[in-house]
């Protein structure tokens, strides 16, 4: 067996010391060849040493680029948040016409992480063609098909997965949210059977969410709420969330911008007027407004960027392993806002669409960074979606966000969600006091009731001329990678307005608590 074959075999069985030893011997024996450096880098990557792995794989690429090497380099660069370099490596790999399924799927995953879901379709489809029995590759193709509006293709792929693996919880959930179910066409019985057989907590979580979605679609609100309540309670226990974690973040933001003990560094900021930030609580119409704006001839959507949180985190240099925490927030006050603005624009530049002057950044949680945005990007426009408090609480409680994301940990408990809404509402009032006229607080209900008038108000705030195409946002063919994908491909409607009332009895504790905090419920 050759040294290369030894190293690859050791990697497959997880024997990293043996893999590294064989790869090192290969690199020493043939230093002009890429294989030894690549496999040494892969061994380091499998050991979690990403920063050590990247230069080794770069050394392999320098010795003669191969699609496999470039694809794995792109994957690691994404993990290091080096998005621009990752994009270049993934696209270079694709030009080399790779034939193996893993390399093709890896390229697709990198492009998807970069928000290029349309671009990910070709490598994902080629991976499935090369290995049609690999359900992970088919799932990735199904998801990309759904994000890009190819709903029938996505449905067919999910059904193929479930035919081979009836317990695949990811496919069950994805299929449930792909479109609205009806009394005559739904998967409730199949989901109930899958739930009875689910042995892993994460599988039960996804299947219960799928059941809740489909039961709500067909009008069975009682059973829908029972499944949500059971799923959320179990997941909250699993992640050991306490609302104090988010309360401390809100406290730190409020202290930084209002407490004289925390001085803010001076700086003029980056004057680029290109960014339009669409913020707010999740599931309040942020995707809808992003689609309206990106239907404008001068605007493209960059998706939900981590560019502002990452710029702040990097420039503070705090040691915590999370992007946002009280230490990082308080330390950010000492950073020159021009540096933050420049760092944001550099990161965002890897994602902004070509050929348009303006772009939207639709990360809902950027409402926590409005003070930073206002100072670092003085000409950027900010739009915050506001929705009926109870519809907001209900829509957050019933939607499965990225289950490991700290941004949405509050949403697995009804009262935590109400508490989070109250702090969001209080923070938005503070931003209004500190930066009047910088943020357009746009009512979802008003937009539904008066689409043209509120769209004109939105475009005026963003310094955009009127464009009739904004009224036909549902014809926008760009990809949507959020739970709102199905909704925003239909014309504007009032289906979701007042939806919480179907669950009024179950939601009463949250409603009463919010009213006691002085938050008006209509």
């Amino acid at each position: 067996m050759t040294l290369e074959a030894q190293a690859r075999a050791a990697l497959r069985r997880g024997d990293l010391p043996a893999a590294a030893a064989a790869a090192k011997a290969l690199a020493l024996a043939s230093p002009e060849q890429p294989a030894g450096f690549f496999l040494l880098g892969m061994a380091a990557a499998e050991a979690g040493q990403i920063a050590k792995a990247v230069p080794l794989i770069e050394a392999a690429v320098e010795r003669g680029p191969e699609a496999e090497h470039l694809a794995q380099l792109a994957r690691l660069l994404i993990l290091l948040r080096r998005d621009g370099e990752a994009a270049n490596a993934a696209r270079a790999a694709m030009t080399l016409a790779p034939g193996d399924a893993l390399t093709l799927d890896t390229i697709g995953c990198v492009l998807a992480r970069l928000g290029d879901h349309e671009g990910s379709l070709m490598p994902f489809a080629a991976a499935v063609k090369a290995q049609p029995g690999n359900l992970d590759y088919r799932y990735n193709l199904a998801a990309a098909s759904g994000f890009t509006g190819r709903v029938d293709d996505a449905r067919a792929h999910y059904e193929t997965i479930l035919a081979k693996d009836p317990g695949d919880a990811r496919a069950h959930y994805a299929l449930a949210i792909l479109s609205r179910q009806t009394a005559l066409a739904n998967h409730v019985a199949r989901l109930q059977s899958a739930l009875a057989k689910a042995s892993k907590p994460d599988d039960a979580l996804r299947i219960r969410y799928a059941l809740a979605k489909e039961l709500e679609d067909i009008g069975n609100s009682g059973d829908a709420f029972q499944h949500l309540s059971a799923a959320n309670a179990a997941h909250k226990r699993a992640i050991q969330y306490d609302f104090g974690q988010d309360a401390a973040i809100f406290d730190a933001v409020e202290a930084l911008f209002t407490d004289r003990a925390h001085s803010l560094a001076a700086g003029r900021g980056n004057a680029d007027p290109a960014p339009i930030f669409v913020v707010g609580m999740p599931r309040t119409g942020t995707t809808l407004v992003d689609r309206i704006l990106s239907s404008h001839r001068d605007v493209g959507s960059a998706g939900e960027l981590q560019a502002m949180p990452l710029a702040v985190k990097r420039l503070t240099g705090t040691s915590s392993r999370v992007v946002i925490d009280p230490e990082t927030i308080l330390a950010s006050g000492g950073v020159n806002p021009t540096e933050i603005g420049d760092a944001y624009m550099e990161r965002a530049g890897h994602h902004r669409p070509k050929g348009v002057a303006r772009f939207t950044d639709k990360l809902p949680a950027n409402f926590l960074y409005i003070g930073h945005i206002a100072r670092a990007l003085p000409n950027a426009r900010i739009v915050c979606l506001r929705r009926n408090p109870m519809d907001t609480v209900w829509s957050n409680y019933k939607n499965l966000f990225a289950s490991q994301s700290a941004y949405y940990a509050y949403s697995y408990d009804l009262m935590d969600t109400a508490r989070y809404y109250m702090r969001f509402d209080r923070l938005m009032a503070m931003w209004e006091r500190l930066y009047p006229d910088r943020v357009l607080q746009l009512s979802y209900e008003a937009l539904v009731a008066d689409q043209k008038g509120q769209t004109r108000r939105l475009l005026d705030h963003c310094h955009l001329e009127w464009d009739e195409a904004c009224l036909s946002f549902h014809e926008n063919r760009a990809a949507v990678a959020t739970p709102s994908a199905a909704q925003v491909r239909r014309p504007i409607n009032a289906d979701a307005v007042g939806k919480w009332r179907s669950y009024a009895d179950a939601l009463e504790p949250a409603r009463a608590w919010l009213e006691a905090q002085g938050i008006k419920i209509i």
Side-chain angles (χ1 to χ4, degrees):
M1 185 183 291
T2 66
L3 287 170
E4 179 175 355
Q6 289 177 38
R8 288 185 181 275
L11 281 172
R12 283 194 296 271
R13 65 176 183 267
D15 187 349
L16 300 185
K24 184 176 181 180
L26 179 59
L28 290 171
S30 304
E32 74 288 352
Q33 296 298 317
F37 294 91
F38 171 69
L39 292 167
L40 200 53
M42 291 301 292
E46 288 298 309
Q49 300 170 330
I50 308 300
K52 178 181 176 182
V54 166
L56 288 166
I57 298 180
E58 286 176 332
V61 170
E62 288 169 5
R63 284 160 172 77
E66 296 181 19
E68 179 190 21
H69 303 172
L70 284 162
Q72 292 299 329
L73 176 61
R75 179 178 69 87
L76 299 179
L77 288 168
I78 279 283
L79 297 177
L80 295 177
R81 314 275 192 176
R82 290 162 61 178
D83 292 358
E85 295 167 81
N88 292 337
R91 293 186 174 115
M94 200 62 192
T95 64
L96 296 175
D100 70 290
L102 176 59
T103 294
L104 287 159
D105 183 72
T106 301
I107 295 168
C109 288
V110 170
L111 295 175
R113 283 283 299 271
L114 293 167
D116 185 4
H117 298 288
E118 194 72 41
S120 75
L121 279 168
M122 185 182 294
F124 281 148
V128 169
K129 185 177 180 181
Q131 286 190 23
N134 188 304
L135 300 188
D136 288 333
Y137 298 165
R138 190 173 292 275
Y139 178 87
N140 290 338
L141 176 58
S145 299
F147 293 156
T148 55
R150 296 166 172 85
V151 175
D152 291 341
D153 289 347
R155 184 179 292 111
H157 288 304
Y158 289 132
E159 290 291 1
T160 298
I161 292 169
L162 291 171
K164 295 184 177 181
D165 181 5
D168 192 309
R170 292 187 308 167
H172 279 302
Y173 177 69
L175 197 54
I177 67 171
L178 190 61
S179 58
R180 182 175 295 186
Q181 313 301 314
T182 68
L184 295 176
N186 62 73
H187 313 98
V188 170
R190 183 169 71 179
L191 286 165
Q192 289 170 335
S193 175
L195 179 62
K197 298 172 184 174
S199 58
K200 299 177 182 177
D202 277 356
D203 287 348
L205 175 76
R206 286 180 172 81
I207 294 170
R208 283 193 183 277
Y209 262 92
L211 268 167
K213 158 64 167 64
E214 297 212 3
L215 288 164
E216 181 177 44
D217 282 352
I218 64 177
N220 188 343
S221 58
D223 287 349
F225 192 88
Q226 285 185 359
H227 281 294
L228 276 176
S229 181
N232 283 343
H235 194 62
K236 182 183 177 180
R237 287 193 300 272
I239 63 176
Q240 299 183 312
Y241 171 76
D242 182 273
F243 184 74
Q245 299 164 219
D246 277 314
I249 289 173
F250 281 104
D251 289 346
V253 174
E254 291 175 352
L256 176 62
F257 287 93
T258 60
D259 188 344
R260 291 184 179 179
H262 298 91
S263 58
L264 295 171
R268 300 179 66 178
N270 183 306
D272 196 321
I276 302 171
F277 291 87
V278 181
V279 308
M281 289 278 286
R283 309 296 295 142
T284 57
T286 53
T287 301
L288 171 61
V289 167
D290 184 66
R291 298 293 274 190
I292 292 171
L293 287 169
S294 61
S295 297
H296 193 283
R297 58 184 173 271
D298 295 330
V299 183
S301 175
E304 296 188 1
L305 302 184
Q306 290 286 332
M308 182 55 68
L310 288 173
V312 170
K313 176 66 177 179
R314 182 177 67 80
L315 289 167
T316 59
T318 53
S319 60
S320 58
R321 297 178 64 86
V322 294
V323 174
I324 185 170
D325 59 3
E327 178 193 8
T328 300
I329 292 164
L330 295 175
S332 69
V335 180
N336 184 322
T338 305
E339 291 184 54
I340 295 176
D342 291 347
Y344 171 84
M345 292 304 300
E346 194 275 329
R347 284 188 177 275
H350 302 309
H351 300 266
R352 60 186 293 184
K354 303 283 191 295
V356 286
R358 311 283 298 280
F359 69 92
T360 56
D361 177 344
K362 194 202 79 71
L363 182 69
N366 270 333
F367 73 81
L368 292 164
Y369 292 89
I370 285 176
H372 295 92
I373 295 167
R375 301 178 69 246
L377 296 160
N379 294 317
R381 309 309 291 162
I382 309 168
V383 181
C384 179
L385 268 293
R386 303 304 302 262
R387 190 180 177 189
N388 179 295
M390 287 306 299
D391 275 333
T392 301
V393 168
W394 169 237
S395 64
N396 274 249
Y397 183 71
K398 75 171 184 173
N399 276 279
L400 180 60
F401 301 106
S403 59
Q404 301 305 313
S405 172
Y407 278 134
Y408 310 113
Y410 64 85
S411 69
Y412 301 104
D413 182 278
L414 182 62
M415 295 309 298
D416 286 341
T417 307
R419 294 182 189 99
Y420 197 95
Y421 179 88
M422 185 272 289
R423 294 303 302 263
F424 158 76
D425 185 70
R426 192 169 99 185
L427 187 62
M428 290 311 303
M430 185 188 85
W431 296 138
E432 191 69 28
R433 290 193 307 272
L434 294 177
Y435 305 104
D437 303 322
R438 281 303 307 273
V439 184
L440 172 65
Q441 299 204 45
L442 186 66
S443 162
Y444 172 77
E445 291 80 10
L447 180 59
V448 168
D450 178 18
Q451 180 185 3
K452 188 168 186 176
Q454 292 299 312
T455 298
R456 191 176 295 279
R457 182 171 172 242
L458 170 66
L459 297 184
D460 286 347
H461 174 76
C462 295
H463 301 161
L464 293 165
E465 295 180 355
W466 176 254
D467 187 339
E468 201 76 18
C470 293
L471 299 179
S472 303
F473 64 87
H474 54 285
E475 297 174 3
N476 187 331
R477 303 317 305 165
V480 187
T482 76
S484 306
Q487 294 97 307
V488 297
R489 291 197 173 99
R490 296 187 292 138
I492 206 163
N493 60 79
D495 291 359
V497 174
K499 195 76 173 181
W500 74 274
R501 295 189 182 280
S502 298
Y503 302 84
D505 290 346
L507 299 178
E508 176 57 21
R511 188 208 63 78
W513 186 85
L514 285 171
E515 284 212 330
Q517 309 307 308
I519 293 174
K520 187 177 180 181
I521 308 296
I522 300 174

